[in-house]
């Protein structure tokens, strides 16, 4: 009888572990934790280099040469610093790992308050990204169609967004495929490819004859509000912190060999790749087109036709791989918003400031101050407060500028066209 009970217990144990294994395989975090440093590199590239890079020449046209370069560099430095903080805080408690952003928030601010501070921000980030990706996917599909078949009948942008959304209705029924490293690697290759094509084709196109580097707004007030919105565009481009702890969670860790060393090595490589994508696209795209550049640089480019068509298809594949499913109905909601307000640059500016500034620019700094309590007026204390002040200003002014752009665009826009 005892032997029978024992064998039943073993069978239950096997079933339980199989079930747990299935859950672990489904989740982006795997229980095996056997990832190498280069996993960190391409996962971070995938998390960061997205559709936002395509709006950087447009952001430059609203910032101007000097401020534009300064904002790009300062954002690169600040977000690398806050990413380093998150990597350091991942396992600051011996024997424990904070595998998700909200777990770190709970440790810093308390069980309930931590959830209320972090989770709404993360949801806004994910919904914001998905809306932007709906518009990006639809616009890129339309550009692909128009490049491949210039003599074909014109099809409304709304229909292309619907086609893109229908892909997600299918994908949302499938298990979570973001855990597959191959998807992440493919997405990283896609983002590198279309970034390179964007600045390469701009060099090929050359500086336009009537190029104008002045502000696109005709009034001082308009130029200031556009400047605010452009800051949000840049913030959106640098946002990858939402999943950094989950990426680090896949790396093995022991007291002798903590995960932060290989993770940080991967982050450095990723940030070099980010700089290699962002700076050429932003500067060369603006150099070629000046203030007449579209809010998506690939829309401004038309030749070589086959190359631009290919770049737009790379964007479509990338945003399919990067789209984050919250619910099956998520695709329907983001499709509706995307079709109603397909203003790529303005959406980036709004969500960049409202959602990404906190999670990327200053929330890690606040947690660092709460947990480590650096000495007042020390270098760490000053650096964190500078990031917090800049981040809060960005969170306030970028959505204001972007909302104004959306309202102005909506006045002249033919809805569902």
């Amino acid at each position: 009888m005892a032997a029978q009970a024992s064998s039943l217990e073993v069978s239950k144990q096997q079933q339980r572990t199989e079930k747990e294994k299935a859950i672990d395989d489904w989740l982006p975090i795997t229980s095996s934790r056997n990832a190498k440093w280069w996993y960190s590199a391409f996962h971070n590239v995938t998390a960061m280099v997205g559709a936002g890079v395509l709006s950087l020449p447009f952001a430059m046209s609203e910032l101007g040469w000097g401020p534009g370069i300064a904002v790009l560099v300062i954002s690169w430095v600040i977000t690398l610093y806050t990413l380093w903080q998150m990597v350091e805080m991942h396992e600051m408690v011996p024997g424990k790992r904070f595998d998700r952003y909200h777990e770190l928030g709970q440790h810093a601010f308390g069980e309930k308050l931590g959830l209320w501070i972090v989770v709404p921000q993360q949801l806004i980030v994910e919904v914001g990204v998905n809306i932007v990706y709906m518009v990006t996917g639809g616009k890129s599909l339309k550009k692909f169609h128009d490049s491949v078949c210039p003599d074909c009948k014109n099809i409304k942008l709304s229909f292309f967004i619907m086609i893109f959304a229908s892909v997600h209705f299918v994908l949302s029924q499938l298990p979570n495929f973001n855990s597959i490293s191959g998807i992440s690697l493919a997405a990283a290759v896609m983002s590198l490819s279309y970034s390179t094509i964007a600045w390469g084709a701009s060099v090929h196109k050359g500086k336009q004859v009537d190029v104008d580097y002045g502000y696109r707004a005709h009034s001082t007030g308009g130029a200031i509000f556009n400047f605010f919105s452009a800051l949000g565009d840049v913030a959106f481009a640098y946002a990858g912190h939402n999943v950094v702890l989950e990426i680090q969670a896949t790396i093995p860790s022991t007291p002798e060999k903590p995960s932060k060393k290989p993770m940080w090595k991967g982050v450095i490589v990723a940030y070099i790749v980010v700089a290699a994508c962002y700076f050429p696209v932003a500067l060369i795209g603006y150099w070629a087109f000046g203030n007449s550049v579209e809010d998506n640089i690939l829309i401004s480019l038309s030749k070589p036709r086959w190359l631009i068509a290919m770049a737009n298809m790379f964007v479509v594949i990338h945003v399919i791989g990067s789209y984050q499913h919250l619910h099956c109905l998520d695709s329907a909601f983001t499709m509706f918003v995307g079709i109603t307000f397909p203003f790529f640059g303005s959406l980036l500016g709004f969500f960049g400031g409202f959602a990404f500034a906190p999670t990327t620019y200053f929330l890690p700094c606040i947690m660092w101050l709460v947990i480590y309590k650096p000495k007042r007026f020390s270098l760490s204390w000053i650096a964190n407060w500078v990031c917090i002040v800049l981040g809060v200003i960005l969170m306030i002014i970028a959505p204001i500028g972007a909302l104004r752009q959306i309202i102005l665009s909506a006045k002249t826009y033919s809805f569902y066209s």
Side-chain angles (χ1 to χ4, degrees), residues 336-391:
F336 170 73
V337 177
I339 290 172
T340 309
F341 304 104
F343 312 126
F344 178 70
S346 307
L347 286 172
L348 286 186
F350 180 78
F351 287 115
F354 184 63
F356 288 95
T359 53
T360 306
Y361 285 74
F362 65 86
L363 209 49
C365 298
I366 294 173
M367 292 194 285
W368 188 273
L369 289 174
V370 169
I371 292 164
Y372 288 102
K373 298 180 176 61
K375 194 177 175 184
R376 186 174 284 195
F377 303 117
S378 65
L379 184 61
S380 171
W381 187 89
I382 292 168
N384 282 303
W385 274 109
V386 167
C387 292
I388 291 166
V389 170
L390 291 176

Side-chain angles (χ1 to χ4, degrees), residues 42-200:
F42 65 71
H43 279 309
N44 275 296
V45 168
T46 303
M48 195 162 295
V49 183
V53 67
L54 301 172
S55 76
L56 290 178
F58 180 76
M60 285 292 296
S61 74
E62 296 183 324
L63 295 168
W65 278 117
I69 293 169
V71 167
L72 282 173
V73 172
I74 291 166
S75 290
W76 192 88
V77 172
I78 288 177
T79 55
L80 180 59
Y81 172 62
T82 56
L83 198 50
W84 169 79
Q85 288 181 311
M86 293 190 75
V87 169
E88 286 289 314
M89 290 189 284
H90 176 74
E91 45 196 13
M92 62 193 153
V93 177
K96 183 171 173 57
R97 299 178 76 172
F98 298 105
D99 291 344
R100 297 190 190 276
Y101 208 134
H102 69 82
E103 291 175 12
L104 190 58
Q106 285 175 300
H107 179 74
F109 307 119
E111 287 292 314
K112 280 191 177 176
L113 185 60
L115 277 180
W116 279 106
I117 290 173
V118 176
V119 173
Q121 285 293 339
Q122 286 194 294
L123 285 172
I124 294 165
V125 164
E126 287 174 7
V127 172
V129 166
N130 289 353
I131 291 169
V132 168
Y133 279 7
M134 273 292 168
V135 176
T136 310
K139 281 196 169 182
S140 296
L141 271 179
K142 180 171 169 56
K143 182 70 175 183
F144 174 79
H145 170 268
D146 296 349
S147 299
V148 170
C149 190
D151 302 321
C152 291
K153 185 186 174 186
N154 184 45
I155 300 173
K156 290 179 180 180
L157 173 61
S158 301
F159 290 130
F160 282 105
I161 295 176
M162 285 179 190
I163 293 166
F164 185 76
S166 66
V167 174
H168 289 294
F169 280 122
V170 174
L171 290 178
S172 63
Q173 309 304 316
L174 301 175
N176 189 336
F177 56 84
N178 288 331
S179 57
I180 303 167
S181 299
I183 295 284
S184 197
L185 180 59
V189 170
M190 292 295 146
S191 52
L192 272 170
S193 302
Y194 65 68
S195 299
T196 306
I197 291 170
W199 66 259

Side-chain angles (χ1 to χ4, degrees), residues 217-227 404:
H218 300 299
S219 66
T220 306
I224 291 169
F225 281 113
N226 285 354
F227 190 96
R404 178 181 174 273

